[in-house]
Amino acid sequence: MKTNATVLLTQVGAQRSTRDRIERHYRERLAPTFTPFQFLDTGENGLSRVIAWLLDPVGSHGQGDRFLSSFLAWVGVDWPAPSVARAKVRNEAPFTRSSRTRRLDVLVTSGRYALAIENKLTAIDQPGQVSDYLGHLAANYGRDALLIYLTQDDERVPSDVSLERRLKLKAERDGRLLCRSYSQLADWLLACRVACQAPSVITFIDGMLLHVRRTVLEIEDMDEADQLAEDICGSRSKLEAALEIYQTRSLVEMKLGHSFVSTLGAKISEHPGWSFDHEGIEAGEPNGWLIIRFSSEARFAFGVGFDRARYHEFFYGLRHADPSKNHRRKAPDELVAHVEKALGSEKSSLTWPVWKTPGTNDPYFPAGRHPGTTPDFWLELHDGSFADRIIQFVAEMERQLKTARRVACLKRYRGE
């Protein structure tokens, strides 16, 4: 006899099949998931160039100072109209302060007015960085300068290393520093879309919005979820069934985690000499990790980790195989240098000599920092795709090290 939960699962499965058939039917004409940002540099520098282009009154978008005016209104700054029209925009604007060369991601100037943007998608603050930015702007533009600290996270602010807390609070009170997130930036992009009169530019802005929502903010399309929730809440039996299914969520996730580790172990056995170790990864525990060694004696290994529960705050890189024994042993410089170059990251810690948070267009793990929030991740755990990604990453690192002919590095890496 079928339970309410089983019936509901059958209904949802049927609805999804119907939706997939409809999507296949109109995909050729509408390409609903396409965005040109799939083929652009969408790292911090790339997105900074797009923002600067939109802000430029003489940009090829042909909309004059409409977008800049909308941005100034968005941040609460009032520039005279002639100053807005005459504004100059630069990317990576260099300056020197305290014997250090800095670069402002975006700098908009017009006479005595200045607006700068520090675009912090994933990079960490450098010592004194924001302090130098504020000092430079104050020295050259006085009180009519504003620094926007733009981040992925609504709650992120400049670190104390970059700007002392008391100075941050004072700069915010004085109107010289404003912290904004990409979720808030989307409001400005919508305003640009409304103000724009060029269809081609509107299409580009739509692509930017889609990219920000799906990739930067990692927000999935909620239309289907909203419809399903409304349907469930409209019936007591469906609501009871949905709650029954929800109660099994932790158990389902744990089963998928165990299945993933088992699948990965089987795939690793196909690579002679490889071995792996893990902790907390099966149950999605905070600080869970998994590493693969090229030999059982290796002092260092490649792997993945999660700082938060349920597979959140994902990162990957080079790790001490046994931090409790090796945390004082420095990884070989040539090994670290090669992995830094291969991953495009110089982030490090005692346990992870080189690590990286996956971002847009990551070649190994495109799901981003919070894979556990997306259905695709759980499906990849189920079908073995996530295990394949890890294998491919480690295999590529092994191939690159061998190709580089770093014999001494490999010997030390293997613990020989």
Side-chain angles (χ1 to χ4, degrees):
M1 182 177 179
K2 290 187 176 181
T3 65
N4 286 341
T6 304
V7 172
L8 181 60
L9 285 172
T10 302
Q11 291 175 344
V12 172
Q15 290 173 1
R16 185 174 185 86
S17 296
T18 301
R19 189 203 66 173
D20 289 344
R21 286 197 300 272
I22 294 173
E23 281 189 354
R24 286 195 296 270
H25 181 71
Y26 70 74
R27 188 176 296 136
E28 287 187 2
R29 295 183 179 180
L30 301 181
T33 61
F34 169 74
T35 165
F37 285 80
Q38 294 172 255
F39 307 101
L40 302 179
D41 174 10
T42 51
E44 290 175 359
N45 292 337
L47 290 179
S48 293
R49 286 193 293 271
V50 173
I51 293 171
W53 174 73
L54 289 169
L55 293 175
D56 193 349
V58 295
S60 60
H61 49 68
Q63 304 305 297
D65 59 16
R66 288 191 182 96
F67 301 155
L68 176 57
S69 295
S70 294
F71 191 91
L72 294 172
W74 176 62
V75 298
V77 171
D78 186 19
W79 288 9
S83 296
V84 178
R86 293 195 300 265
K88 305 295 182 184
V89 182
R90 285 187 291 166
N91 275 117
E92 294 292 301
F95 68 90
T96 301
R97 189 171 180 82
S98 303
S99 301
R100 292 178 291 203
T101 298
R102 302 286 196 190
R103 294 180 183 276
L104 289 163
D105 291 330
V106 180
L107 178 63
V108 185
T109 59
S110 184
R112 63 187 178 90
Y113 298 98
L115 175 74
I117 301 174
E118 171 57 10
N119 191 7
K120 284 288 184 186
L121 261 182
T122 57
I124 60 174
D125 287 337
Q126 300 301 313
Q129 184 179 23
V130 176
S131 178
D132 285 348
Y133 290 162
L134 291 171
H136 170 73
L137 293 171
N140 288 273
Y141 301 97
R143 300 177 60 182
D144 292 311
L146 174 65
L147 174 65
I148 308 295
Y149 188 79
L150 182 62
T151 66
Q152 185 177 24
D153 190 337
D154 288 338
E155 299 179 359
R156 182 177 175 181
V157 296
S159 67
D160 293 343
V161 171
S162 183
L163 180 68
E164 292 182 28
R165 177 175 172 77
R166 62 179 182 84
L167 297 178
K168 179 186 78 70
L169 295 175
K170 186 177 187 306
E172 289 178 324
R173 286 196 305 268
D174 294 343
R176 297 185 297 115
L177 173 66
L178 182 63
C179 298
R180 286 291 173 96
S181 69
Y182 268 86
S183 62
Q184 295 167 317
L185 185 76
D187 295 335
W188 169 62
L189 292 172
L190 283 171
C192 290
R193 190 187 190 286
V194 172
C196 186
Q197 298 183 20
S200 59
V201 178
I202 290 174
T203 299
F204 185 83
I205 294 173
D206 285 341
M208 175 74 164
L209 276 166
L210 185 62
H211 172 76
V212 167
R213 287 169 174 163
R214 288 187 172 178
T215 308
V216 179
L217 302 178
E218 299 176 356
I219 298 174
E220 296 295 321
D221 187 354
M222 296 301 293
D223 288 346
E224 181 186 4
D226 288 341
Q227 292 174 8
L228 181 60
E230 187 172 339
D231 186 29
I232 289 172
C233 292
S235 164
R236 181 181 177 85
S237 62
K238 288 183 179 180
L239 180 59
E240 290 175 345
L243 293 174
E244 182 181 342
I245 293 170
Y246 182 77
Q247 288 177 339
T248 69
R249 174 180 176 177
S250 297
L251 181 59
V252 169
E253 291 178 356
M254 186 172 295
K255 284 183 176 293
L256 288 173
H258 280 276
S259 174
F260 154 66
V261 171
S262 177
T263 299
L264 183 64
K267 293 178 182 292
I268 288 174
S269 67
E270 300 172 4
H271 294 261
W274 285 21
S275 63
F276 83 117
D277 195 9
H278 59 89
E279 182 177 298
I281 204 82
E282 291 172 307
E285 297 175 8
N287 301 313
W289 53 267
L290 183 150
I291 57 172
I292 297 177
R293 315 181 196 203
F294 293 157
S295 74
S296 58
E297 299 84 13
R299 292 191 291 112
F300 300 95
F302 289 102
V304 302
F306 298 89
D307 277 341
R308 291 171 55 194
R310 296 196 64 247
Y311 305 100
H312 284 218
E313 296 294 347
F314 173 67
F315 63 93
Y316 65 98
L318 177 71
R319 185 184 188 275
H320 280 281
D322 187 350
S324 63
K325 296 180 180 178
N326 297 318
H327 70 280
R328 289 180 180 155
R329 294 184 180 181
K330 183 181 178 183
D333 290 339
E334 59 267 46
L335 174 61
V336 170
H338 189 87
V339 177
E340 285 180 343
K341 182 177 179 181
L343 301 188
S345 174
E346 296 181 357
K347 296 178 180 178
S348 65
S349 68
L350 288 175
T351 302
W352 296 80
V354 186
W355 62 274
K356 179 181 181 180
T357 300
T360 307
N361 301 328
D362 189 271
Y364 304 109
F365 303 99
R369 293 171 56 200
H370 307 291
T373 62
T374 64
D376 287 345
F377 171 73
W378 299 102
L379 293 172
E380 287 194 355
L381 287 189
H382 180 262
D383 66 17
S385 299
F386 191 68
D388 287 336
R389 293 187 188 280
I390 294 176
I391 294 291
Q392 289 165 7
F393 159 61
V394 176
E396 177 61 18
M397 292 299 100
E398 183 179 44
R399 185 194 68 78
Q400 288 193 25
L401 287 172
K402 286 182 177 178
T403 301
R405 298 181 183 277
R406 299 186 181 274
V407 178
C409 171
L410 282 170
K411 284 185 177 180
R412 275 178 283 178
Y413 181 81
R414 292 176 179 272
E416 297 173 357

